[in-house]
Amino acid sequence: MAGDGTEKATVIEGKEWYMAAYAPQGVPSSDHLKLRTVTISLADDSIPDGHVAVELLWISVDPYLRSRMTGHQDGLYMPQFKIDEVLVAFGVGRVIKSKDSRYSEGDIVLNPYFPIAEYCVMPSDSLIRKIDVTAGIAIPDYLNALGAPGFAAWVGIVVLGEAKPGLNVFVSAAAGGVGMFAGQLAKLRGCRVIGSTGSDDKVKLLKEEFGYDDAFNYKRETDYDAALSKYFPNGIDVYLDNVGGKMLEAVLNHINIGGRIPLCGMISEYNKSWKERDGVRNLLNLVGKNVRMEGFLVGSYLNRFQDFLKEMEDCLLQGKIISKTKTYNGIDSFLESLGSLFQALMMEKLSFKSKSE
Amino acid sequence: MAGDGTEKATVIEGKEWYMAAYAPQGVPSSDHLKLRTVTISLADDSIPDGHVAVELLWISVDPYLRSRMTGHQDGLYMPQFKIDEVLVAFGVGRVIKSKDSRYSEGDIVLNPYFPIAEYCVMPSDSLIRKIDVTAGIAIPDYLNALGAPGFAAWVGIVVLGEAKPGLNVFVSAAAGGVGMFAGQLAKLRGCRVIGSTGSDDKVKLLKEEFGYDDAFNYKRETDYDAALSKYFPNGIDVYLDNVGGKMLEAVLNHINIGGRIPLCGMISEYNKSWKERDGVRNLLNLVGKNVRMEGFLVGSYLNRFQDFLKEMEDCLLQGKIISKTKTYNGIDSFLESLGSLFQALMMEKLSFKSKSE
């Protein structure tokens, strides 16, 4: 308990990832992101009131992180990590010392801006949730189905996509963090759902595990226009876009009157400066077909977060929605896990556990 | 009156424009649009019941007509004119013979699909309005402020743009048919309004007659990004897009969080096939700034047409909204008037009167 005078080891060592240099283009490497060892004092008087010392358990590895490492504003307009400062991401940790009566040693806590550091001291106000580990939901699901990816899927499909029975829904990067939940949410609402993804294994996963009506590998079916003609003989009513570029352009040739295109992210574009990106040439379709294309960051829909949580927690507990994530073990693996998001252009949902086991 | 047995000249000659050949690209010429002389019988038994014979008075010459002359579907998805058939456009005429008790000889009537022909017989159900010429509104205003351009401006600014005091509004092709009303409607709602247009004379017109706070000539200020930085130090909240292409791309670098971009048309693109169009490379801005970009055709908002009419008629009668149009005289001038829309890329609001005077 906080301030009870019992002291364990007062100084601990831990590794943390920091921004050594910006990576304006391409996939960030060990030139840009570096690991260092730091020491944290757990002495009672070195943790300020209203703070907790926390041991990192899980970090969510998501494409948006890339846009905080370019050194310039890009289209996501997220603040850049500062040079020499520790990186942060959505994470879960265990409280090891508390100077806030609301938190006790052993509590499992969630912070959307968790330092990617084995140990750290953080203001307790930065914690958004204490996780009840007995509730029947696995800890990584708090970063996935119940975290930013699940919430993004819900905003895209439910709020902006207005999914309802019979609609034809297309999801790109469908096996990715957002896509896997988007498809399942659309199916639960009675839609016909098709996904695109980057490998045959993932096509199988989409159809057999995530309940997609059909799916295709965009690396095999490289004529996106022909693929969409085949999979959407009646056109597309809702397109949840996670990739931008050429796939978005192809969709605009197949969108139905009154269609909706929630834009969740554009992973095909993150490693290029905007002038090098694929231009979308057929936006005139938006006019002729009364189409609404709307970008969103989940942070703008926090007023709906409780509605989302209620639905998603019920779905998880009833097994109506499942998740699959690839786990990297150990804090050393962060750079590799981030790189794999982009090298494969698959947008897998990745997490890593702080400790190898 | 219909069926009263009094017969005047029973056969009259008149000219009409027809589609001789499609023009997939470029500005349509006399190879594509041709004039011919036809005869109309006004004999009582040659006009079917429920029809009226009408003399054309005014035609509205608008950019969307171009998209009905390509011979292929483009992004506006408007039906193509048929080869050898008469062209149609929003028009006003005078009834010269009626076989419908609701219409009498001399009535001034409005038809959104008026044949571009000096005389014709049309089903009276195709008439959407009988104009009260004593109401104090000039006949061309029924094609302009109260017609498709005015309604498009109202949908864009009021319905989709949600204009309200203090917002920064940008309108492209601002002296055009839609733009001139869009700016005035936004000013009436307390917005700060800037327009772009294609000549210094039009810049003057926008500032001195249409009440724009400022305006610029995009042919002089060719670095659109620099121009928008100058005119919108606080960013753009609403952009009513009439041009697409490079200007839309520039706007996406200046749009504010939560901004709205109603897409009304893209005149910079109509004479190109879609693969030749300027691609928009920075759509990622829509994601990072929660921007809604929404295309529309006025036909989809007819449920709001009465609200629009009420506001716009009041504004016209009170002199709060004015219009300026360039008039071409005589049916022979149609091709020239259509061509001038695109050659100048100014998107002037044009009408022509059926008879030279």
Side-chain angles (χ1 to χ4, degrees), chain A residues 260-280:
Chain A
R260 294 173 290 283
I261 305 182
L263 304 177
C264 183
M266 297 189 171
I267 196 173
S268 74
E269 313 288 14
Y270 290 167
N271 293 320
K272 305 171 193 164
S273 75
W274 74 265
K275 291 189 177 176
E276 290 171 329
R277 289 176 182 161
D278 286 329
V280 173

Side-chain angles (χ1 to χ4, degrees), chain A residues 75 77 253 263 274-275 277 279-281 284-297 300, chain B residues 75-77 253 263 274-275 277 279-281 284-297 300:
Chain A
Y77 295 97
N253 291 332
L263 304 177
W274 74 265
K275 291 189 177 176
R277 289 176 182 161
V280 173
R281 295 166 294 179
L284 190 59
N285 288 304
L286 299 178
V287 182
K289 297 195 160 175
N290 290 283
V291 174
R292 175 183 294 181
M293 185 155 99
E294 188 162 4
F296 68 102
L297 291 177
S300 308
Chain B
L76 287 186
Y77 296 95
N253 291 332
L263 304 176
W274 75 265
K275 292 189 178 177
R277 290 175 182 162
V280 173
R281 295 166 292 179
L284 189 59
N285 288 304
L286 299 178
V287 182
K289 294 194 161 174
N290 290 283
V291 174
R292 175 183 295 179
M293 185 154 98
E294 187 161 6
F296 68 102
L297 292 177
S300 308

Side-chain angles (χ1 to χ4, degrees), chain B residues 165 254 269 340:
Chain B
H254 296 267
E269 312 288 11
S340 77

